[in-house]
Amino acid sequence: MRVTITFHGPFRIATGTGRPGIDAAVDRHGLLPASSLKGLMRDSAERLLPGLPRLVEAVFGGPRHPTAWGWEAARFTGEGPEVTTRARVRLDEKSGAARRDHLMYGEEVWAHAAEFTVTQHGPCPETGGPLLDRDGQLAVLACAAAGVHSLGSGRRRGLGWVRWTPEDPGVDEELITRFTGLAEQWRNHQHA
């Protein structure tokens, strides 16, 4: 499955460590790592499939169950990416002035588009139901990808707004029907 990311503004996936003059640095050699992309899709699947953690684990893997899928880091297409620096201050609630020692410099990335693939690298069960066959897993992956609308830090401050568009399979009415049917099937199986 290939996923295209369209950026609606800058984003930041920080390394967790700063460097001289920068408090929130990005990894210039891995701006959108595979682990972040998989984590975003898993989070989206958990929100789309509330109360069905075993279904999410069947697709994304867990401690005793490896996933059949592998994510690659995103490749940027078109212009960019360009890394810039943004300053942020914390204001005093009473005076409205900048608070002493509360200036933060963070890097952010500007890009137009990127893409990544999710490929099968392990076996999927052959039958449907609680085992979830390959087509069912692809339906969950595609819907989870389409459900991602933000990435990285600073999302409440206008960073990281995106649109993810999966292909092969694309999200259409038939795929959504399959996805909702799988969710219902798993809910019924849980209560059986």
Side-chain angles (χ1 to χ4, degrees):
M1 179 178 72
R2 185 172 55 138
V3 180
T4 301
I5 304 171
T6 305
F7 297 94
H8 300 298
F11 72 92
R12 177 189 308 125
I13 296 178
T15 61
T17 58
R19 61 173 194 273
I22 300 293
D23 300 298
V26 298
D27 179 354
R28 291 172 184 246
H29 302 290
L31 296 171
L32 277 171
S35 59
S36 293
L37 301 172
K38 178 184 178 183
L40 287 162
M41 285 178 64
R42 184 183 192 115
D43 179 67
S44 176
E46 289 170 349
R47 284 184 285 111
L48 292 170
L49 299 165
L52 296 173
R54 289 182 46 216
L55 174 53
V56 173
E57 185 176 313
V59 177
F60 290 91
R64 293 179 293 270
H65 171 72
T67 182
W69 305 95
W71 280 254
E72 69 173 20
R75 299 173 310 282
F76 290 91
T77 58
E79 292 181 34
E82 181 181 341
V83 178
T84 62
T85 303
R86 175 187 285 200
R88 215 174 72 207
V89 297
R90 184 170 180 186
L91 301 178
D92 182 88
E93 292 177 21
K94 291 180 182 177
S95 69
R99 292 182 65 179
R100 175 177 238 126
D101 298 327
H102 282 84
L103 174 63
M104 194 275 300
Y105 288 102
E107 292 180 320
E108 58 188 29
V109 181
W110 290 83
H112 291 283
E115 62 181 37
F116 68 95
T117 58
V118 180
T119 55
Q120 185 177 351
H121 65 82
C124 290
E126 295 294 322
T127 61
L131 295 178
L132 194 62
D133 64 8
R134 182 179 190 276
D135 288 340
Q137 290 201 18
L138 279 169
V140 171
L141 289 167
C143 288
V148 175
H149 301 291
S150 61
L151 58 83
S153 60
R155 291 180 296 237
R156 293 188 180 144
R157 292 180 170 87
L159 295 181
W161 295 3
V162 294
R163 180 180 71 235
W164 285 23
T165 308
E167 297 176 29
D168 300 323
V171 176
D172 56 16
E173 195 171 318
E174 182 180 334
L175 188 103
I176 291 170
T177 300
R178 180 174 180 85
F179 176 81
T180 55
L182 284 168
E184 189 60 33
Q185 185 180 23
W186 277 68
R187 278 190 188 86
N188 292 338
H189 181 71
Q190 273 186 178
H191 300 301

